């Protein structure tokens, strides 16, 4: 069962190095899946557990989803500024968590810090993605592999999809509260 707060926000909670309580791990999985669902809606991608989980199970796939979503919601002018940010990056200027990853991710976050997205629904989703992307890639992949191995990720995906697709009485409230980006 998802925690009561699963649909209150889109930020992905920090998971520490110590074993976390079950609700926090489930909330982590639910928020990642929710980000994936809302992004897939905007990108007109299929919403099934089998197509959704690969989008969040590995940091590389999450980064690709973030870039695809940002490409759909940001202007060409924004991408020119992101490219300029990217051109200015040296290997030492990229934060450790983003090293070895798609360099457009930290360039995107830098741009959005300077120029927040004007679309409130897209901005909320981008903020949620930023909270997920802050993880070091190896750590993120290890956490998700553990959640997938325990069946937590798939269970959360099923419940999130049911809730957001109207299987819950308050599905429309969630869509309004979270935005369907």
């Amino acid at each position: 069962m998802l925690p009561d707060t699963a649909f209150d926000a889109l930020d992905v909670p920090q998971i520490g190095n110590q074993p976390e309580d079950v609700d926090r791990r489930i909330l982590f999985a639910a928020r990642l899946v929710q980000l994936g669902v809302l992004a897939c809606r905007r990108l007109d991608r299929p919403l099934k557990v089998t197509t959704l989980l690969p989008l969040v199970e590995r940091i590389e796939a999450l980064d690709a989803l973030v870039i695809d979503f940002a490409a759909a919601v940001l202007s060409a002018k924004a991408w020119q500024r992101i490219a300029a940010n990217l051109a200015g990056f040296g290997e030492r200027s990229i934060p450790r968590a983003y090293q070895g990853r798609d360099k457009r991710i930290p360039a995107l976050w830098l741009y959005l810090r300077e120029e927040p997205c004007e679309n409130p629904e897209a901005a909320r989703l981008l903020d949620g993605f930023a909270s997920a992307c802050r993880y070091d890639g190896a750590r993120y992949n290890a956490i998700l592999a553990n959640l997938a191995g325990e069946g937590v990720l798939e269970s959360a995906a099923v419940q999130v999809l049911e809730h957001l697709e109207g299987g819950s009485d308050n599905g429309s409230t969630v869509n309004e509260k979270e935005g369907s980006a």
Side-chain angles (χ1 to χ4, degrees), residues 43 64-75 78-79 82 108-109 112 126 129:
L43 298 170
L65 181 59
V66 169
I67 294 298
D68 288 350
F69 179 78
V73 299
L74 297 177
S75 69
W79 282 100
I82 292 167
L108 171 64
W109 302 142
L112 289 172
L126 287 165
F129 275 130

Side-chain angles (χ1 to χ4, degrees), residues 14 32 52 54 56 61 69 75 82 84 87 95 102 107 109 112 130 148 165 170:
Q14 285 283 349
L32 285 173
L52 189 57
V56 298
F69 179 78
S75 69
I82 292 167
D102 188 328
W109 302 142
L112 289 172
E165 291 300 308
N170 60 357

Side-chain angles (χ1 to χ4, degrees), residues 5-80:
T5 60
F7 299 98
D8 289 353
L10 289 175
D11 65 305
V12 176
Q14 285 283 349
I15 301 291
N17 290 329
Q18 301 300 318
E20 299 289 331
D21 66 293
V22 174
D23 282 349
R24 190 164 180 84
R25 293 163 38 88
I26 293 171
L27 179 62
F28 178 85
R31 295 274 174 84
L32 285 173
V33 170
Q34 189 176 358
L35 287 167
V37 168
L38 296 173
C40 284
R41 280 183 180 167
R42 176 63 183 245
L43 298 170
D44 292 322
R45 292 185 181 173
L47 290 174
K48 297 186 295 187
V49 171
T50 56
T51 57
L52 189 57
L53 289 183
L55 299 174
V56 298
E57 286 179 320
R58 303 210 25 92
I59 198 73
E60 300 82 6
L62 181 71
D63 287 351
L65 181 59
V66 169
I67 294 298
D68 288 350
F69 179 78
V73 299
L74 297 177
S75 69
K77 182 179 177 183
W79 282 100
Q80 290 171 349

Side-chain angles (χ1 to χ4, degrees), residues 87-111:
F89 281 166
E91 197 55 41
R92 292 179 185 224
S93 63
I94 297 175
R96 185 176 181 276
Y98 300 106
Q99 291 180 4
R101 293 170 56 186
D102 188 328
K103 292 180 183 177
R104 293 176 295 175
I105 294 294
L108 171 64
W109 302 142
L110 179 62
Y111 169 77

